């Protein structure tokens, strides 16, 4: 197998559950899943404690897997302002951890991730999860959902990185 080109840590931030997925590609351009899971914080714990837990776990993941870069979902502002604020705080902590680790951060809108994986910017959650399973040749959809979302974000970045590299070469 050819040498990997540089792992990407995908993050789907949330204050209760933050999904993560580490992917790379082999020399043939096949996406390889290295690790995935979720960072969970204690419900009801004070917000500063939850943010510290998230920060410390994100930094530990970055040190463990030594990705080339981090891909994070941009904040989608829906109807629930309180949720948007807490997700924003979680994103901020992840961005801080990436900066402390000296990693480049790339941010993607949900529609960009959907377009990159399914070819359809309005794909639903189930379609996206199935595309992650198919692209990585997995028997099952990764769980929890936040981890599957994080893997999708990382794969989106791999595709974006390929395009940027092709542009540089030409």
């Amino acid at each position: 197998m050819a040498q990997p080109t540089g792992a990407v840590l995908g993050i789907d931030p949330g204050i209760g559950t933050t999904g993560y997925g580490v992917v790379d590609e082999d020399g043939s351009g096949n996406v390889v899943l290295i690790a995935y899971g979720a960072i969970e914080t204690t419900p009801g714990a004070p917000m500063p404690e939850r943010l510290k837990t998230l920060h410390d776990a994100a930094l530990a993941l970055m040190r463990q897997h030594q990705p080339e870069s981090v891909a994070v979902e941009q904040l989608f502002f829906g109807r629930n302002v309180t949720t948007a604020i807490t997700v924003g705080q979680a994103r901020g902590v992840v961005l801080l951890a990436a900066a402390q680790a000296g990693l480049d951060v790339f941010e993607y809108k949900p529609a960009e991730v959907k377009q990159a994986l399914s070819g359809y910017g309005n794909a639903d959650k189930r379609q996206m999860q199935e595309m992650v399973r198919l692209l990585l040749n997995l028997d099952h959809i990764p769980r929890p959902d936040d981890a599957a979302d994080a893997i999708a974000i990382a794969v989106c970045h791999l595709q974006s990185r390929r395009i940027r590299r092709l542009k540089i070469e030409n």
Side-chain angles (χ1 to χ4, degrees):
M1 181 166 83
Q3 280 292 9
T5 58
V8 174
L9 171 60
I11 301 280
D12 181 27
I15 195 60
T17 304
T18 291
Y20 69 87
V22 182
V23 299
D24 204 341
E25 55 187 347
D26 62 22
S28 301
N30 298 313
V31 179
V32 179
L33 181 61
I34 297 169
Y36 70 91
I39 301 166
E40 296 185 354
T41 64
T42 305
M47 184 59 73
E49 182 181 312
R50 295 178 87 177
L51 292 172
K52 182 179 182 324
T53 297
L54 175 55
H55 172 268
D56 293 349
L59 196 54
L61 279 171
M62 292 169 197
R63 288 181 176 148
Q64 177 185 358
H65 295 289
Q66 299 183 353
E68 175 186 85
S69 55
V70 177
V72 181
E73 187 170 68
Q74 284 184 351
L75 182 59
F76 175 74
F77 186 72
R79 295 178 230 229
N80 190 332
V81 175
T82 303
T83 299
I85 290 170
T86 59
V87 170
Q89 290 173 321
R91 281 185 83 254
V93 165
V94 169
L95 297 177
L96 172 62
Q100 289 175 322
L103 297 171
D104 291 330
V105 175
F106 298 85
E107 300 177 73
Y108 297 94
K109 295 176 182 153
E112 290 175 307
V113 176
K114 293 174 181 183
Q115 181 70 37
L117 267 72
S118 72
Y120 179 57
N122 288 322
D124 65 29
K125 193 167 204 63
R126 178 71 184 149
Q127 290 169 315
M128 291 300 297
Q129 292 171 345
E130 185 62 19
M131 285 305 299
V132 166
R133 187 189 72 74
L134 291 170
L135 283 169
L136 296 169
N137 197 28
L138 303 173
D139 292 332
H140 303 287
I141 292 170
R143 297 284 180 227
D145 290 350
D146 305 280
D149 294 346
I151 294 166
I153 295 162
V155 171
C156 174
H157 179 67
L158 283 180
Q159 292 180 358
S160 178
R161 183 173 73 184
R162 279 186 212 139
I163 292 168
R164 279 194 312 279
R165 288 181 177 162
L166 286 172
K167 285 180 180 178
I168 291 170
E169 292 172 5
N170 292 326

